[in-house]
Amino acid sequence: MSAVRAPDEAHRQPPPRGTSHSSLTLALVGSGGDGVALLGDLLLRMAAQLGLHGMMVQSYGPQIRGGESAVILRVAAREVGYEGDRTDVFVCFRLADLRRFQGAVRLHRDSVVILEQSDTQEMPEWIGRSERETFRYPFARFENGIEVPGDPKNMLALALVCKVLGWPAALARETLGQRFGHRPDVLARNLAAFDRALGGPSPSEVRIAPGEGKALFAETGNEAIARGAIEAGVKFFAGYPITPSSEIMETLMDELPVAGGRVVQAEDEIAAIGMVLGASFGGVPSMTATSGPGLSLMTEMAGLSSMAEIPAVIVDCQRAGPATGMPSRTEQSDLNHAIYSGHGDFPRAVLGVFDVVHARDVMHRAVHLAEKYQLPVFVLSDAYIAQRRQIRGPVGERPPISRRDLWSPGMGPARFDLSGDHGVTPFRVPGTPDGTYLAAGIEHTEEGYPTADGTLHHRMNRKRFQKLDAIAAETREWFRVLGRADAAKGLVAWGSQYGLLDEWVGRHEDYRVFLPEILHPFPLGAFEAWRERLGSLAVLEMSYQGQLYRYLAGITNLSGARSITRSGGMPLQIGELERLLEGEER
């Protein structure tokens, strides 16, 4: 029988009533238009002001607007990257909306439950049971059985949750003022509703331990990617809106011009990456962002980036595919596309994003690699990170990144010179005196002229792929390990699995975890050293085929290793991981 411990033991068993929790998970469920996402955002902002850490993930239907909507919010005294398996405070405006979130909300015996007073539906069995008395509140008004506009439900719920958590009403009013200061009429209406609910009956109370005593701030994964790109020196962005990446462009529209850059909303993804390559051809660090369907359209131009040796950063916020798939759900199934897509042979680098805090670091590395090695760099985020809002500490200083090696008159080497040993030749910016050359997607001579010489084509391939050798040498320590170094069982995972595993492995001393920060070229030497003396190895990922497992099996011997996969669009939870591992060991 498995020696695996009970799932998420500390979070499953709440502390005795009257004590402070080290973390709390709140689940807020309603319909589109109920303002559930805004409610979660306000609570997370308040937590940051209280010096607490936390994160918030949204879940909504594929129709994106309308339909059901849910927010899972976790607040904690320390940094967290996982929303937890059990719900401590549950607010639901309409139980009929709950069925779409089976598996995302689970009550325990001490959960605080707040429901609409007139809702007569039974709580489903799968959500679990609380031993506390359910608190019911009249969020909605009805006339002849039809719901009519009344007080904003989310403002009523904000007051009730503040009372549950013991958070100061003054802070809530201040946060509302910051959010709606530009709309005095809306602010007045929201404050009135908040005060009405604040003056009414009180639900049960639960308390969170004090935070760091200093205000922190929150941002989403998409905002962090946009800001990381600006900090790294990106000056041009072109893109086309697509869920779940659109907020990258929206953030850059607000903030990149202030930093001296430009943003263009293109007519489609093909045009967007064409603009990016054009700007980069002119010497400007440039990037785009998209999701699976857009990435497919950008593939041919990524090959041009590699062939013409024009730097480009391409961010892909993965969602459940294929085709248009499930736009609002997460997955890790674009890995094959990022590593192998395109016709012919062309080198590219592929980086993975762990969480919101890691996202800024990744963008520094992506811009650095693209500019230094003059090739396309893919950054793989996913919906779980992209639209997650996470509280973080201040952003620290980073070392300066490499800038593009620019050609100047008198330097000598041709644009595609073959004599070097690392594949990188000085970049000629159009307009540089005597620096004119031909850059196209067709194979070329060292000067850039078209050629069908097979021998030269092979030598040019070797020149371009030499860059991967140099990148592999530079990035051999771009990975993280979790757990005890002498643990007998090993897990390999990537990207957004980081937060869950960081929390899980602390209670499983028999496991160690390897997480690559660069996926291609893979830090193989570090991986082989890490897996020494392992008794068992499993590869964990959110894809149906086991794309990381198959990729690793192609570059090293995975004999005896197990592939653990699950698609479905919802993030893995610790309890589910436990069950998957138990299945592995039977």
Side-chain angles (χ1 to χ4, degrees):
M1 186 58 192
S2 168
V4 176
R5 299 179 180 183
D8 198 11
E9 199 67 33
H11 194 65
R12 182 193 293 274
Q13 300 300 330
R17 294 176 188 178
T19 63
S20 292
H21 297 243
S22 60
S23 77
L24 289 173
T25 295
L26 293 78
L28 316 168
V29 179
S31 300
D34 284 343
V36 166
L38 174 60
L39 172 60
D41 181 67
L42 292 168
L43 289 168
L44 196 73
R45 289 171 187 263
M46 291 176 65
Q49 287 299 309
L50 292 169
L52 293 166
H53 285 275
M55 58 175 283
M56 180 187 87
V57 293
Q58 296 182 58
S59 184
Y60 46 92
Q63 64 273 43
I64 299 176
R65 291 188 181 278
E68 67 284 355
S69 176
V71 162
I72 308 297
L73 175 75
R74 187 178 181 191
V75 292
R78 61 174 180 81
E79 188 171 300
V80 292
Y82 169 61
E83 70 271 31
D85 268 9
R86 290 293 183 269
T87 301
D88 301 296
V89 180
F90 174 58
V91 180
C92 184
F93 298 135
R94 190 177 294 104
L95 283 173
D97 292 321
L98 186 58
R99 66 181 186 278
R100 300 291 183 92
F101 304 106
Q102 183 166 351
V105 181
R106 295 185 184 88
L107 303 181
H108 56 72
R109 61 178 174 80
D110 210 30
S111 299
V112 175
V113 178
I114 302 173
L115 302 179
E116 158 61 40
Q117 189 175 63
S118 61
D119 198 336
T120 58
Q121 292 204 24
E122 292 290 328
M123 294 271 281
E125 289 290 333
W126 57 260
I127 196 173
R129 287 286 179 267
S130 171
E131 295 176 5
R132 290 182 185 243
E133 182 180 359
T134 298
F135 183 82
R136 292 187 176 273
Y137 191 85
F139 290 109
R141 289 199 308 114
F142 296 88
E143 292 180 5
N144 299 322
I146 299 175
E147 184 174 340
V148 298
D151 285 329
K153 296 177 183 176
N154 53 355
M155 295 299 111
L156 302 173
L158 178 65
L160 298 179
V161 174
C162 283
K163 291 202 286 188
V164 168
L165 301 178
W167 287 2
L171 177 59
R173 295 188 184 99
E174 178 185 333
T175 306
L176 283 169
Q178 293 166 355
R179 184 68 173 75
F180 295 105
H182 64 295
R183 294 286 305 277
D185 54 332
V186 176
L187 176 61
R189 180 168 179 258
N190 286 340
L191 285 174
F194 175 83
D195 286 337
R196 264 193 289 278
L198 196 68
S202 297
S204 305
E205 296 179 356
V206 292
R207 291 289 184 265
I208 179 76
E212 294 190 3
K214 59 182 179 182
L216 303 172
F217 72 99
E219 64 183 354
T220 66
N222 281 339
E223 290 170 347
I225 282 175
R227 290 164 185 159
I230 294 172
E231 292 164 359
V234 165
K235 294 296 183 187
F236 180 76
F237 175 96
Y240 186 75
I242 182 170
T243 301
S245 74
S246 299
E247 294 84 0
I248 295 175
M249 182 166 65
E250 292 168 4
T251 304
L252 288 168
M253 281 179 168
D254 290 336
E255 301 183 16
L256 187 56
V258 178
R262 295 288 183 273
V263 176
V264 174
Q265 179 176 327
E267 62 266 39
D268 57 33
E269 288 86 350
I270 299 174
I273 194 169
M275 293 176 186
V276 165
L277 295 190
S280 185
F281 180 60
V284 178
S286 304
M287 66 170 285
T288 185
T290 187
S291 185
L295 186 67
S296 298
L297 295 177
M298 292 181 177
T299 301
E300 182 180 356
M301 283 284 191
L304 173 61
S305 165
S306 193
M307 172 66 101
E309 302 188 41
I310 300 173
V313 175
I314 303 163
V315 177
D316 172 34
C317 296
Q318 300 168 95
R319 64 192 200 184
T324 43
M326 297 192 290
S328 59
R329 303 300 192 204
T330 194
E331 213 162 71
Q332 294 180 303
S333 55
D334 290 348
L335 180 63
N336 280 348
H337 195 111
I339 294 176
Y340 300 118
S341 65
H343 57 278
D345 300 306
F346 73 83
R348 80 293 300 271
V350 181
L351 305 179
V353 182
F354 288 168
D355 59 18
V356 175
V357 176
H358 187 231
R360 290 199 190 205
D361 295 335
V362 173
M363 291 309 296
H364 275 252
R365 290 177 164 180
V367 175
H368 163 77
L369 292 180
E371 291 293 310
K372 182 176 180 179
Y373 294 100
Q374 301 176 26
L375 81 177
V377 176
F378 293 87
V379 174
L380 294 182
S381 178
D382 62 44
Y384 185 42
I385 299 170
Q387 297 184 326
R388 173 197 309 178
R389 187 168 290 279
Q390 186 171 335
I391 297 175
R392 59 173 301 158
V395 177
E397 294 288 329
R398 294 182 178 82
I401 65 172
S402 294
R403 297 302 174 194
R404 201 177 307 185
D405 182 16
L406 296 178
W407 182 89
S408 60
M411 288 187 73
R415 173 67 184 100
F416 302 110
D417 179 68
L418 288 165
S419 62
D421 59 3
H422 49 63
V424 180
T425 43
F427 192 94
R428 300 188 180 201
V429 176
T432 305
D434 300 323
T436 301
Y437 73 104
L438 180 63
I442 200 165
E443 189 56 280
H444 44 249
T445 65
E446 293 182 74
E447 292 75 24
Y449 297 114
T451 182
D453 183 329
T455 301
L456 186 56
H457 171 58
H458 183 75
R459 293 179 65 201
M460 280 293 173
N461 270 332
R462 184 168 60 195
K463 171 193 188 301
R464 291 188 286 264
F465 272 88
Q466 280 176 329
K467 299 176 183 180
L468 287 190
D469 296 334
I471 292 174
E474 180 176 343
T475 63
R476 60 183 179 274
E477 295 184 356
W478 288 15
F479 63 92
R480 292 187 191 179
V481 294
L482 304 173
R484 291 171 52 128
D486 59 349
K489 300 175 184 177
L491 274 179
V492 184
W494 70 282
S496 60
Q497 304 304 322
Y498 171 77
L500 176 147
L501 292 172
D502 186 38
E503 187 158 324
W504 172 82
V505 80
R507 297 191 287 275
H508 295 78
E509 295 184 350
D510 49 343
Y511 274 93
R512 55 177 128 148
V513 180
F514 185 91
L515 296 126
E517 296 184 79
I518 183 165
L519 292 146
H520 182 73
F522 196 83
L524 194 56
F527 174 66
E528 298 291 9
W530 169 84
R531 65 186 291 194
E532 289 180 358
R533 295 181 294 280
L534 271 179
S536 67
L537 176 65
V539 182
L540 173 69
E541 57 193 302
M542 285 279 295
S543 74
Y544 183 77
Q545 297 181 91
Q547 296 185 11
L548 177 62
Y549 175 86
R550 291 168 185 259
Y551 167 57
L552 289 178
I555 59 176
T556 189
N557 181 9
L558 283 189
S559 177
R562 171 73 179 270
S563 174
I564 300 179
T565 68
R566 202 268 275 146
S567 59
M570 299 296 285
L572 279 172
Q573 296 194 324
I574 282 180
E576 185 180 11
L577 173 61
E578 301 280 3
R579 292 190 290 275
L580 290 170
L581 289 173
E582 287 174 4
E584 175 199 22
E585 294 180 0
R586 285 197 181 100

